[in-house]
Amino acid sequence: MKSILPALLLMAATAAAQTVPTPTPAGNPIIRNKYTADPSAMVQKGTVYLYTGHDEAPARQERYVMHEWLCFSSTDMVNWTEHPVPLRVSDFAWAKDDAWASQVIARNGKFYWYAAVEHGSIHGKAIGVAVADSPTGPFKDARGSALIAPDATPDDKISWADIDPTVFIDSKGQGYLFWGNTTCYYAKLKPSMTELDGPIQTVKGLPRFTEAPWVHEHNGWYYLSYASEFPEKIVYAMSRNLEGPWEYKGILNELAGNSNTNHQAIIDFKGQSYFIYHNGGANTDGGSYRRSVCIDNLYYNKDGTMKRVVMTTEGVKAAK
């Protein structure tokens, strides 16, 4: 008679395997039901508002298809609530298409959304500004025309020079708009946030600048991070003054490997710094034209420089 011990051991092992909890999905990408790209983020009253582009290119079509922007919110950086679409290219009557990178910023109880689009009557990309009474919108065109039209930077020889706006308001209340592709521009904003307050100027000291500028402040330092070369990695410079001089510091975030582009937002929330970016890692059909937003922790050195961001699939822990 054969021993039944091996069979009993196999049954026990099978039962044990069936009781092991199913692993929870990895933290990154953070949004799974849609492709999201070009993130920006804003903290308001204990809530993080995440604004993204929406990659809509069909599977295996290698082109940008983007008609609207999306909004999500979270109180812990892990659980995200999607809100109704707050802004579309069609909300800018003068624009034609291409809901490219954008950023929302608060001022005097209003929320201003700066967004790159294709201009309808002037060849090239342009930057519009929309406004709302709530961070979730709905937003409407604040000007009825482009804030930065394609002919605002006539020395630029590329039609996509005026993209990727980022906005910062300093401690004195002066607003600044930064933007650009291959050349980084900046200009002061009037308190209305819908008009420039002075000439457009060029940022110096940013080697191999490609696009995606993002400006933030930490412990008395200003940081200007941006996408460099192509495929893109994120690098950064530091300054004590928003108008420079800027000192280049090196790589902050390496190539994603599955997305040619890289685009970042940096925020502080509940005592932790976060690096928000996109990659092409969504399953299925993720890639350079179907990107997904991710979040990892950001750390500073004692001298104020930033440590290189470690990209993870686990993502961040819930903020408390």
Side-chain angles (χ1 to χ4, degrees), residues 221-223 236-240 245-249 303-305:
W221 283 103
Y222 293 109
Y223 299 81
Y236 76 103
M238 295 171 61
S239 177
R240 292 291 190 182
W246 294 93
E247 183 178 350
Y248 178 76
K249 292 297 182 180
D303 63 358
T305 56

Side-chain angles (χ1 to χ4, degrees), residues 214-227:
W214 178 272
V215 175
H216 77 282
E217 185 272 339
H218 184 83
N219 287 347
W221 283 103
Y222 293 109
Y223 299 81
L224 201 169
S225 51
Y226 59 95

Side-chain angles (χ1 to χ4, degrees), residues 132-206:
D133 295 322
S134 163
T136 59
F139 285 78
K140 62 180 181 180
D141 189 352
R143 289 174 46 94
S145 61
L147 174 62
I148 304 293
D151 54 5
T153 52
D155 293 337
D156 235 307
K157 304 305 180 185
I158 57 174
S159 63
W160 58 94
D162 299 307
I163 63 170
D164 293 1
T166 184
V167 181
F168 189 88
I169 301 173
D170 70 13
S171 59
K172 298 179 181 178
Q174 178 62 60
Y176 288 82
L177 173 70
F178 292 76
W179 74 96
N181 180 287
T182 65
T183 299
C184 187
Y185 298 103
Y186 78 96
K188 292 182 179 180
L189 290 167
K190 292 183 178 180
S192 67
M193 302 298 284
T194 61
E195 299 176 88
L196 299 188
D197 189 11
I200 294 173
Q201 302 187 66
T202 301
V203 182
K204 306 296 184 182
L206 306 181

Side-chain angles (χ1 to χ4, degrees), residues 34 36 50-54 68-72 82 85-86 113:
K34 294 179 179 177
T36 53
L50 172 69
Y51 303 92
T52 79
H54 183 196
E68 63 187 12
W69 295 271
L70 305 176
C71 176
F72 307 84
E82 183 175 3
V85 173
W113 195 324

